């Protein structure tokens, strides 16, 4: 099963390791707390928009509607207005 399924079934990380390394001598040396943290930001999304090229950005501007960019990792939504897009295209010249 996937890691997500095993965690949902109540397995601790140690349980999952023992399952994956079944038959091997497992010794837990250390534990480190973890948390979900996405490094996305409006600035980073802006860089991604720049990378699609001026023509694409211009065609989004010509459509006259704000665009929404969603981060696939944390599901954050970033809205770029036509003004934002114009600033992006000016700065990338
Ligand atoms: Zn994110």
């Amino acid at each position: 099963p996937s890691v997500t399924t095993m965690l949902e079934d109540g397995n601790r990380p140690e349980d999952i390791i023992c399952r994956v390394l079944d038959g091997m001598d497992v010794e837990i040396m250390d534990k480190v707390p973890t948390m979900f943290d996405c490094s996305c930001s409006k600035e980073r999304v802006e860089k991604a928009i720049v990378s699609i090229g001026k023509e694409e950005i211009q065609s989004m501007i010509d459509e006259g509607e704000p665009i929404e960019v969603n981060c696939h990792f944390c599901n954050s939504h970033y809205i770029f207005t036509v003004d934002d897009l114009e600033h992006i295209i000016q700065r990338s010249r």
Side-chain angles (χ1 to χ4, degrees):
S2 70
V3 171
T4 307
T5 304
M6 288 192 277
L7 288 172
E8 280 170 358
D9 288 346
N11 289 288
R12 297 165 305 154
E14 302 92 298
D15 302 326
I16 295 173
I17 286 170
C18 290
R19 187 166 172 176
V20 171
L21 302 177
D22 187 32
M24 298 174 86
D25 237 345
V26 176
E27 186 186 350
I28 307 289
M29 312 292 284
D30 197 8
K31 295 183 186 187
V32 180
T34 56
M35 60 178 282
F36 178 77
D37 181 36
C38 190
S39 59
C40 73
S41 66
K42 189 151 185 173
E43 290 68 35
R44 292 186 84 150
V45 174
E46 204 175 295
K47 283 183 188 152
I49 293 174
V50 169
S51 74
I52 66 171
K54 286 165 199 163
E55 277 179 27
E56 274 295 316
I57 300 170
Q58 189 57 55
S59 79
M60 293 189 283
I61 291 169
D62 294 342
E63 279 171 31
E65 297 285 334
I67 60 156
E68 183 177 330
V69 180
N70 300 317
C71 175
H72 290 296
F73 299 104
C74 70
N75 214 25
S76 290
H77 306 289
Y78 296 95
I79 307 285
F80 289 86
T81 62
V82 172
D83 270 359
D84 290 335
L85 294 172
E86 277 168 350
H87 284 126
I88 290 171
I89 214 167
Q90 277 163 17
R91 266 180 276 140
S92 66
R93 266 185 191 132

